[in-house]
Amino acid sequence: MKKRIGSITLIFIISISFVNSQTVSIISPNRKVNVQLFNQQSGNWYLKVNYKNGGKQTEVIPQIDLGLVCSEADFSKGLKFLKAGKSKSIQENYTMLHGKKTDCSNSGNEVVAFFENSGKAKVNLIIRAYNDGVAFCYEFPGKNVAYKVTDELTAYTIPDSTMRWLQKFNPANEGLYAKMADGTEQKDWAYPALFSTPDTSCWFLIHEADVNRNFCGSKLTNYGDKTKYKITFPDEWNGRGTGEVQPTVTLPWKSPWRVIVMGSLADIVESTLVNDVSAPSVIVDTEWIKPGVASWNYWSDNHGTKDYKTVCKFADLAASMGWDYTLLDWEWDAMTNGGNLEDALRYIHSLGVKPLIWYNSGGEHTWVGATPKDRMLTHENRMEEFAKLKKLGIVGVKVDFFESEKQDMINYYLDILEDAAKFEIMVYFHGCLVPRGWQRTYPHLMTYEGVRGAEWYNNSPELTTTAPEHNATLPFTRNVVGAMDYTPVTFTNSQYPHITSYGHELALSVLFESAMQHMADRPEGYYELPDAAKSFLKTVPNTWDDTKLLDGYPGEFTVMARQKGANWYIGGISGIQKEKTQKLNFSFLSENVKYKLTLISDGIHDKTFSVKHLVVDNTSTIDVKMLRRGGFAAELTPLNN
């Protein structure tokens, strides 16, 4: 059949109202999460999500409207429920090269509901219940037909009195999260969105995963009804008006997964559900993919890469600290003051450090003229540029300024990843979308910005006062769904000062997960640290075998433990304006093993440290004092018997 986009409108609407009959129910393996498919009347359907813990059942999301508006056929009336497939178990173990956990498990229960309309056109709804949440997606069977999707009607009903942490959407995803108790504000909201039920028995985080070439990215809006957070396509003005707002899909087709991570706060933070439901790796040989830590000159000197001597100083910093990488940011093509790009690369390589390099994504979708601009824009451009980079020994590219999540931009992201892999070049994105599970599919995608990070100390005085609370919110929101290039751990000041303590800043090296971790301070900021803190930053990993939330509350404080091999690392920060004593419980440690604890916490004021060395085991507890806006970091190493 010839592919075409017809003028006839296909509308698949599953609406919500009074419940007459329950049709389908699926329960998670641990029996805590229950998803139910209900029928209001003939042809009208919706989902309900419940959570059961300790014998108590909580109605987490009372209704999720479902629906798609497409071309070719009418699904708006008389939608006939054909059957529900047999419930089946999803069992898949996989390994991540980087992230919060090495060994992951895609383990849940799935059921498929089959529907057809009066014209016998079919649509399926795939529903999964996991121990840590829910995922569902739409499916059109058939082949060799193209539909234009004009709207998706999926909408999550969130009653007032549900606490929520939401970020107003902007295409670069660099806003601040606001805490609200109701839906009074009606806005465009960014992913991920965090909620807590009124009785606090269950937390849930709404996101999407496995967005691919056959769709666009989306956001949430609650304009029509403040309690309904509807999935919404990008705005026309995104990407300076380039690209189509409405995606075109080719049958057979599955939508991105609509994901609800749920459970305790620890379940949220530790979840890998976004990666679990995403496509497996397409990279067979991954030996060339090497996560690591990089020095970065832009935060302390916005024109640092234009200066050969500055570039050399940051290469020296990486070599001195044992970090694998240094990043050449914008203006590398205009480098002067003693050398050019080739000179800088020779020097960097002589130190045993590997260079990374920045590019403007180019094209009419970005208003930024910073060069080099168009070298990533087309397949031909990329193949030529990647071949040059390979010869120069450059191992990774940072590509900036996408500013859109339309289908054409999703394709552009994936084009870059696929072409870079041909030359064994790692990639990370800035001015971009937040993670959608691509780090599983494309493990050479090391990190994303999509966050208001330390760079904002250059942009305005705002982060000076908001950073403590913001930093204590990100582990429960943005960093849950994937790597986050916040560019942390600064002790000196950029254009605008920070008021977080040195202990707080040191802890970010553990709390903020990124497979390419850019340490943003100037060299003297690290050279002048006391030995314990400097040694910690020389050895702290940035990929993890396991992650555990020990304690915390969004915006107030976070205490997290991460494992690498036999060692554990702890980061704790406070986002509040008063001192706090944190009780550390080490019950997560292996039994019958003693560990050497090196604790680096706040000193007598916010620019000093207190260092303690203790022996602990899994029965130990200690108290740690945090200054206002303070923090601490720790390393636990098993002692030989």
Side-chain angles (χ1 to χ4, degrees):
M1 182 182 296
K2 183 179 180 181
K3 292 184 180 181
R4 61 194 179 92
I5 299 176
S7 58
I8 304 173
T9 300
L10 174 154
I11 306 178
F12 165 38
I13 300 177
I14 306 176
S15 61
I16 55 98
S17 186
F18 180 74
V19 177
N20 289 328
S21 62
Q22 176 185 327
T23 305
V24 177
S25 179
I26 188 78
I27 301 174
S28 63
N30 65 2
R31 307 195 66 81
K32 288 185 177 182
V33 178
N34 181 18
V35 190
Q36 298 166 325
L37 177 65
F38 283 93
N39 174 226
Q40 173 198 359
Q41 53 185 314
S42 178
N44 298 326
W45 306 82
Y46 66 94
L47 294 175
K48 179 186 289 188
V49 180
N50 299 311
Y51 182 76
K52 188 174 183 180
N53 193 21
K56 177 183 178 182
Q57 180 160 296
T58 300
E59 186 178 74
V60 178
I61 305 179
Q63 53 204 29
I64 304 175
D65 300 0
L66 305 168
L68 294 170
V69 181
C70 309
S71 58
E72 294 297 324
D74 186 353
F75 280 83
S76 63
K77 297 177 182 178
L79 191 66
K80 181 181 179 182
F81 176 72
L82 299 177
K83 64 177 181 177
K86 290 183 178 179
S87 176
K88 70 175 184 178
S89 174
I90 305 296
Q91 292 290 340
E92 178 195 16
N93 296 321
Y94 66 97
T95 300
M96 290 291 289
L97 289 181
H98 46 82
K100 67 179 77 172
K101 193 173 182 180
T102 299
D103 296 320
C104 300
S105 176
N106 178 23
S107 302
N109 293 323
E110 177 185 284
V111 67
V112 181
F114 297 86
F115 301 90
E116 72 174 14
N117 70 354
S118 58
K120 305 298 183 182
K122 293 179 172 57
V123 65
N124 307 327
L125 184 67
I126 304 172
I127 311 166
R128 289 182 179 178
Y130 288 89
N131 289 346
D132 57 349
V134 171
F136 64 93
C137 70
Y138 305 100
E139 179 181 51
F140 286 117
K143 59 183 179 179
N144 299 326
V145 176
Y147 290 160
K148 190 168 191 175
V149 182
T150 59
D151 198 9
E152 179 172 340
L153 305 178
T154 305
Y156 304 88
T157 295
I158 310 295
D160 283 349
S161 75
T162 301
M163 197 61 68
R164 60 206 73 196
W165 286 259
L166 301 174
Q167 177 191 149
K168 294 177 184 178
F169 177 80
N170 67 74
N173 294 283
E174 294 182 33
L176 295 168
Y177 277 86
K179 179 182 178 182
M180 295 170 278
D182 56 41
T184 300
E185 286 197 69
Q186 293 174 279
K187 301 283 184 183
D188 292 20
W189 303 108
Y191 290 123
L194 177 67
F195 302 87
S196 176
T197 54
D199 62 0
T200 69
S201 61
C202 183
W203 294 75
F204 60 102
L205 182 136
I206 295 176
H207 195 46
E208 66 180 2
D210 206 28
V211 179
N212 58 36
R213 295 182 182 276
N214 226 10
F215 215 61
C216 61
S218 71
K219 58 188 174 184
L220 299 171
T221 59
N222 65 333
Y223 289 111
D225 179 340
K226 70 175 185 176
T227 67
K228 288 186 182 294
Y229 290 80
K230 178 187 175 298
I231 287 179
T232 305
F233 295 161
D235 293 318
E236 171 62 31
W237 63 268
N238 295 168
R240 297 181 72 195
T242 62
E244 294 291 327
V245 169
Q246 298 165 344
T248 299
V249 306
T250 303
L251 275 59
W253 171 80
K254 285 183 181 179
S255 73
W257 288 100
R258 306 312 177 194
V259 176
I260 309 162
V261 184
M262 60 190 301
S264 66
L265 262 183
D267 292 329
I268 301 290
V269 170
E270 298 165 18
S271 174
T272 59
L273 187 55
V274 171
N275 288 331
D276 294 345
V277 299
S278 295
S281 174
V282 297
I283 308 298
V284 177
D285 177 13
T286 60
E287 286 299 314
W288 54 276
I289 303 171
K290 304 292 185 184
V293 178
S295 62
W296 182 53
N297 64 45
Y298 178 84
W299 182 83
S300 57
D301 183 346
N302 294 170
H303 300 277
T305 304
K306 197 173 182 179
D307 188 303
Y308 170 76
K309 292 181 180 178
T310 299
V311 169
C312 291
K313 288 178 182 178
F314 277 82
D316 291 338
L317 170 64
S320 174
M321 296 294 290
W323 300 336
D324 291 324
Y325 303 102
T326 190
L327 171 65
L328 306 179
D329 215 289
W330 77 308
E331 298 182 319
W332 55 262
D333 56 338
M335 194 183 303
T336 58
N337 194 23
N340 59 18
L341 174 65
E342 289 73 19
D343 297 321
L345 292 175
R346 278 192 293 271
Y347 184 76
I348 292 167
H349 284 303
S350 75
L351 299 174
V353 175
K354 301 184 220 31
L356 312 166
I357 200 163
W358 177 95
Y359 286 90
N360 186 330
S361 62
E364 292 302 314
H365 63 272
T366 175
W367 65 92
V368 181
T371 62
K373 184 172 181 180
D374 292 324
R375 302 188 194 183
M376 292 288 119
L377 191 58
T378 68
H379 173 69
E380 292 74 20
N381 292 155
R382 290 188 296 273
M383 296 301 281
E384 179 181 351
E385 197 68 13
F386 288 146
K388 291 179 182 177
L389 298 183
K390 187 74 172 178
K391 289 181 180 179
L392 291 170
I394 295 172
V395 298
V397 293
K398 170 185 175 180
V399 189
D400 209 343
F401 306 125
F402 291 89
E403 297 295 333
S404 169
E405 298 180 16
K406 297 175 187 174
Q407 188 175 23
D408 70 311
M409 199 58 61
I410 298 299
N411 277 298
Y412 185 27
Y413 281 115
L414 300 182
D415 287 342
I416 292 172
L417 288 169
E418 291 176 4
D419 286 347
K422 297 169 187 173
F423 294 87
E424 298 187 342
I425 289 176
M426 296 178 288
V427 177
Y428 51 105
F429 297 126
H430 267 231
C432 63
L433 80 179
V434 299
R436 301 301 209 279
W438 293 349
Q439 284 172 271
R440 182 182 178 193
T441 313
Y442 302 95
H444 62 301
L445 173 53
M446 310 307 288
T447 191
Y448 312 65
E449 189 181 29
V451 67
R452 180 162 295 204
E455 181 179 286
W456 275 81
Y457 285 114
N458 288 318
N459 299 343
S460 75
E462 166 268 311
L463 197 63
T464 295
T465 55
T466 59
E469 180 179 350
H470 178 57
N471 293 349
T473 301
L474 292 173
F476 303 99
T477 51
R478 165 62 181 85
N479 213 185
V480 169
V481 301
M484 181 178 77
D485 197 22
Y486 180 100
T487 63
V489 191
T490 57
F491 304 100
T492 67
N493 287 323
S494 184
Q495 278 87 328
Y496 298 97
H498 60 76
I499 58 173
T500 51
S501 77
Y502 277 20
H504 183 118
E505 290 294 318
L506 187 68
L508 300 183
S509 65
V510 177
L511 287 180
F512 290 171
E513 181 266 308
S514 179
M516 196 64 73
Q517 187 78 285
H518 292 83
M519 298 297 184
D521 209 346
R522 49 181 55 84
E524 53 268 31
Y526 300 112
Y527 293 151
E528 295 172 5
L529 289 173
D531 289 343
K534 190 187 304 181
S535 295
F536 187 87
L537 289 176
K538 286 181 177 182
T539 59
V540 63
N542 70 311
T543 63
W544 307 100
D545 295 328
D546 200 4
T547 292
K548 293 185 179 297
L549 178 69
L550 303 185
D551 202 357
Y553 189 87
E556 295 184 8
F557 71 107
T558 312
V559 185
M560 190 182 298
R562 297 192 191 266
Q563 184 182 24
K564 187 68 171 181
N567 292 357
W568 284 88
Y569 298 80
I570 302 176
I573 60 171
S574 170
I576 61 177
Q577 302 296 320
K578 61 181 180 180
E579 292 186 355
K580 173 179 173 57
T581 298
Q582 177 65 41
K583 183 173 290 295
L584 270 185
N585 185 315
F586 296 97
S587 58
F588 61 90
L589 295 174
S590 299
E591 292 185 1
N592 302 317
V593 179
K594 292 188 179 299
Y595 291 79
K596 176 186 175 182
L597 169 68
T598 301
L599 175 66
I600 309 169
S601 57
D602 289 326
I604 58 173
H605 59 77
D606 61 1
K607 297 185 186 302
T608 59
F609 293 105
S610 172
V611 180
K612 293 180 180 179
H613 299 283
L614 302 169
V615 175
V616 298
D617 60 24
N618 71 335
T619 67
S620 302
T621 59
I622 63 171
D623 289 337
V624 183
K625 179 181 176 182
M626 288 191 281
L627 298 176
R628 57 180 184 168
R629 310 178 301 272
F632 64 92
E635 180 178 5
L636 291 145
T637 305
L639 295 171
N640 294 328
N641 293 330

